[in-house]
Amino acid sequence: YSVTGSAVARAVCKATTHEVMGPKKKHLDYLIQATNETNVNIPQMADTLFERATNSSWVVVFKALVTTHHLMVHGNERFIQYLASRNTLFNLSNFLDKSGSHGYDMSTFIRRYSRYLNEKAFSYRQMAFDFARVKKGADGVMRTMAPEKLLKSMPILQEQIDALLEFDVHPNELTNGVINAAFMLLFKDLIKLFACYNDGVINLLEKFFEMKKGQCKDALEIYKRFLTRMTRVSEFLKVAEQVGIDKGDIPDLTQAPSSLMETLEQHLNSLEGKKPGNKSGAPSPLSKSSPATTVTSPSSTPAKTIDTSPPVDLFATSATAAPVSSSKPSSDLLDLQPDFAATGQAAPAAPAGATSWGDLFESVPDVPAAPKPDATPSIDLFGTDAFSSPPHGASPVPESSLTADLLSVDAFAAPSPLPTASPAKVDSSGVIDLFGDAFGSSASEPQPATQAASSSSASADLLAG
């Protein structure tokens, strides 16, 4: 400073003496005041600090870094803006002071610390603001940011937090005033950065269920990283606690419930069209707004998962199935054609071999229960156990299939694939006449091809008998 004659350069040199203690407050305050003066040359001040950081002594270099960090945090924003605009900052990745054992130890921290300060300036260049200075809380910058910008900002913030956590100091290594001063600045930075990080994650989770598939993927990845950072941050705060920082200044970090992660993954899977892994998971705190909890709805079930098990199961489990509410009146009992025509269009085409029985019963569980006046007497006539107590929630089945079942229960046990061509020309009305009017006059109703086919098989069984 005797060369330049600058009061600012003099204050920089006084703050970065060879004395093993943190920079004196009066020199730091003078430099902070200087950053607010319009006639002070900020680039010149920064250059003086960079020059001090090229010294061979670890004490001078470390104090130059602490002074720079102090000005980045407390000085006028013009200072960090200038650092962000520079092409090169601290180039101390190979710094080593061999003057003593203490020099070796401290050189490690100097290398890590300089990397963090470079990262801090770089993130300012990318974001055009300092995460540690912006507003936090419900109406803070990170909480109100749009999802697109948020997904770009969070990785930058993560990088800065990672660089800070890499300082990785143990309480027994905080042995002198210089490293202690650096640790205090890092500790305060971490609390501010983590508050931003937390705001960003809350914002992500709130908007998670409105995002597109690609954004959800990125958001989930950010959230997973956040959980791992939380453990590392709490370790850093434990060190702060051990070196005597007031407990009131140390935030208490609580871990998010694991069910939250399951809900997010379920939602992403449903967007990607995968089968949900866990339908009976614990309800998440976000289940109110989460479509992931409705994965069993038919709209989100992929077409391939339609039940094509043998129709025998239909009657075995129908008693437990809840009846589906419907607005269809019971007078439509015999008019089955519209029902099956509608479900035939909605359901995807089943394999050709199984069409004759498959189509008929695939959508039956969704048809509402309807009282069937003449089913009970006819069933009692033959005393078959399969229908001895018709379940209340059972769905209506066409008459012709009932006759088939009554005449040979084996017809349902292992349904053989019937040809889907036109049905055999056996007089179906003959079958119905055999039983009189027990089954109602279903012959007068036009039936789909599949039903006619089943009645022909029924009469075939009758003749065989």
Side-chain angles (χ1 to χ4, degrees):
Y1 68 83
S2 56
V3 177
T4 59
S6 158
V8 170
R10 179 166 179 249
V12 168
C13 291
K14 293 233 174 183
T16 57
T17 56
H18 285 74
E19 203 177 354
V20 184
M21 58 179 284
K24 285 186 179 162
K25 188 175 184 297
K26 61 180 180 181
H27 303 311
L28 292 176
D29 288 347
Y30 179 86
L31 290 171
I32 287 167
Q33 184 55 39
T35 61
N36 292 311
E37 301 291 337
T38 49
N39 60 344
V40 167
N41 189 336
I42 297 280
Q44 193 181 0
M45 181 194 287
D47 284 342
T48 315
L49 282 164
F50 285 123
E51 196 182 324
R52 294 297 280 166
T54 59
N55 199 289
S56 59
S57 163
W58 71 265
V59 184
V60 175
V61 176
F62 217 152
K63 286 171 88 168
L65 295 177
V66 171
T67 307
T68 308
H69 191 179
H70 197 86
L71 292 178
M72 288 169 96
V73 174
H74 301 290
N76 191 296
E77 207 166 329
R78 292 188 303 155
F79 184 76
I80 191 171
Q81 274 173 356
Y82 170 70
L83 293 188
S85 70
R86 281 179 62 111
N87 287 331
T88 56
L89 289 172
F90 297 106
N91 185 18
L92 297 170
S93 53
N94 299 318
F95 178 81
L96 185 60
D97 181 351
K98 299 177 184 174
S99 60
S101 64
H102 217 52
Y104 273 97
D105 295 341
M106 290 299 124
S107 297
T108 307
F109 295 110
I110 285 172
R111 290 195 293 272
R112 293 172 186 171
Y113 193 33
S114 66
R115 197 179 308 133
Y116 168 69
L117 294 181
N118 288 351
E119 188 62 48
K120 189 175 170 74
F122 183 60
S123 85
Y124 189 98
R125 182 192 303 182
Q126 291 174 289
M127 296 303 304
F129 63 77
D130 181 1
F131 284 111
R133 287 177 181 237
V134 294
K135 191 177 181 184
K136 322 282 190 300
D139 53 347
V141 171
M142 296 304 281
R143 192 76 74 85
T144 53
M145 199 177 275
E148 295 78 21
K149 192 177 179 191
L150 190 62
L151 288 169
K152 288 176 186 164
S153 308
M154 289 296 276
I156 297 168
L157 178 53
Q158 277 175 343
E159 288 288 324
Q160 195 178 331
I161 290 174
D162 284 352
L164 191 155
L165 292 170
E166 275 168 23
F167 192 71
D168 194 27
V169 67
H170 293 284
N172 57 355
E173 291 168 316
L174 297 170
T175 50
N176 60 67
V178 186
I179 191 170
N180 288 4
F183 181 78
M184 275 306 294
L185 285 168
L186 287 170
F187 166 73
K188 287 174 180 170
D189 259 18
L190 181 62
I191 289 175
K192 291 174 190 166
L193 291 175
F194 193 77
C196 263
Y197 199 17
N198 201 38
D199 281 351
V201 168
I202 291 169
N203 190 357
L204 269 186
L205 295 178
E206 283 174 351
K207 301 204 169 107
F208 188 81
F209 297 104
E210 301 157 22
M211 290 181 182
K212 299 186 188 90
K213 185 170 75 175
Q215 291 178 324
C216 279
K217 221 169 191 173
D218 295 345
L220 188 63
E221 201 54 45
I222 288 169
Y223 181 63
K224 283 177 181 170
R225 285 185 197 152
F226 171 73
L227 295 179
T228 56
R229 301 298 185 290
M230 271 188 84
T231 49
R232 291 176 60 196
V233 167
S234 54
E235 282 164 17
F236 193 99
L237 297 181
K238 273 179 198 159
V239 174
E241 207 173 292
Q242 286 169 358
V243 295
I245 291 176
D246 186 14
K247 277 194 177 181
D249 297 337
I250 300 173
D252 188 30
L253 304 183
T254 49
Q255 201 78 16
S258 57
S259 58
L260 178 57
M261 176 69 87
E262 287 169 21
T263 307
L264 300 181
E265 284 176 337
Q266 256 181 30
H267 177 64
L268 182 60
N269 286 347
S270 69
L271 286 184
E272 289 179 338
K274 291 179 187 169
K275 279 189 180 178
N278 178 21
K279 286 184 189 175
S280 58
S284 79
L286 296 179
S287 56
K288 287 175 191 169
S289 61
S290 156
T293 53
T294 59
V295 285
T296 49
S297 67
S299 58
S300 63
T301 308
K304 289 176 191 169
T305 61
I306 283 175
D307 183 36
T308 52
S309 56
V312 167
D313 291 349
L314 190 97
F315 297 103
T317 59
S318 58
T320 58
V324 187
S325 62
S326 168
S327 58
K328 251 190 179 312
S330 58
S331 61
D332 281 352
L333 174 69
L334 296 170
D335 186 16
L336 290 163
Q337 192 165 353
D339 262 355
F340 283 93
T343 51
Q345 288 163 8
T355 43
S356 41
W357 288 108
D359 278 1
L360 198 60
F361 286 100
E362 241 154 62
S363 43
V364 165
D366 295 328
V367 180
K372 195 166 187 56
D374 19 17
T376 321
S378 59
I379 288 154
D380 289 343
L381 275 171
F382 297 96
T384 47
D385 289 337
F387 286 87
S388 54
S389 58
H392 296 295
S395 26
V397 274
E399 276 72 22
S400 47
S401 61
L402 275 178
T403 50
D405 189 52
L406 288 170
L407 294 166
S408 93
V409 182
D410 293 335
F412 280 88
S416 56
L418 291 171
T420 52
S422 58
K425 291 174 181 161
V426 179
D427 186 15
S428 59
S429 62
V431 186
I432 290 151
D433 285 345
L434 279 169
F435 302 106
D437 276 331
F439 288 93
S441 54
S442 63
S444 61
E445 290 294 332
Q447 301 285 344
T450 51
Q451 289 168 256
S454 63
S455 68
S456 68
S457 68
S459 54
D461 270 322
L462 178 77
L463 296 170

